[in-house]
Amino acid sequence: AFNSTTFTTGDGISIDDFCMINPPSVDIGVSAILNPTPIWGAGQISQVNLQVHNYGCDSITNFDVFYTVNGGTPVGPTLYSGPPIPPNGNAVVLCPQDTTPSGIYTFCGYTSLVTDGDHTNDTLCVQLKGIPVVPVTYCNDFDSSGADWTAIPSPIGNTNWELGTPN
């Protein structure tokens, strides 16, 4: 309830220019990008898992899901034909895998349904990063020089390290 005090001049509280509308019956959109993760190895294969949310009043099934990388060619459609998603419910859609590009890139997931009553919430875009994957080529058998290792006494017993061929 609204109220006012005797210390306020005028009407105290005013409300003007608002409206309330019913949500559309059918309204589905991507609400979260679960995979790929924010940082992944460049050139590596990543699962693509998108969470969709039913913003409408009716249960929904049989709609398409797509994704794009840096605004490129859409990947999909992936048809969701699982159990009906109730109003305000979520489901996870498993899309085709993606190869992670190098550097910062834009990943967008979106739904496509002809009868969708509100297309403003169909798409979700995030900035992700593909980090370089470099092979580790360093090897050491600890027999060539004592300059690149140090023996430290073990706190749990006698452990002796020495340069040379093991006994």
Side-chain angles (χ1 to χ4, degrees), residues 2-3 13 32 34 64 71 94 115 119-121 124 147 149-150 163:
F2 296 116
N3 65 11
I13 296 176
L34 306 175
D64 291 326
L94 308 177
T115 57
H119 294 290
T120 63
N121 58 13
L124 179 65
W149 60 272
T150 301
L163 181 63

Side-chain angles (χ1 to χ4, degrees), residues 54-145:
N54 183 354
Y55 298 99
C57 296
D58 294 342
S59 293
I60 299 177
T61 191
N62 295 323
F63 57 89
D64 291 326
V65 179
F66 295 83
Y67 71 87
T68 62
V69 175
N70 285 332
T73 304
V75 177
T78 299
L79 175 66
Y80 176 83
S81 58
I85 305 168
N88 206 34
N90 296 309
V92 174
V93 180
L94 308 177
C95 298
Q97 294 177 331
D98 178 53
T99 302
T100 302
S102 184
I104 295 173
Y105 65 99
T106 301
F107 185 95
C108 296
Y110 63 95
T111 57
S112 178
L113 181 61
V114 174
T115 57
D116 192 311
D118 179 4
H119 294 290
T120 63
N121 58 13
D122 293 351
T123 303
L124 179 65
C125 294
V126 294
Q127 295 284 307
L128 303 176
K129 185 172 185 179
I131 58 171
V133 177
V134 292
V136 177
T137 57
Y138 180 78
C139 296
N140 191 339
D141 63 5
F142 300 102
D143 286 334
S144 59
S145 167

Side-chain angles (χ1 to χ4, degrees), residues 6 18 28-29 33-34 38 49 51 54 68 129 132 134 143 153-154:
T6 58
F18 77 96
I28 191 82
I33 296 171
L34 306 175
N49 302 332
Q51 179 178 288
N54 183 354
T68 62
K129 185 172 185 179
V134 292
D143 286 334
S154 171

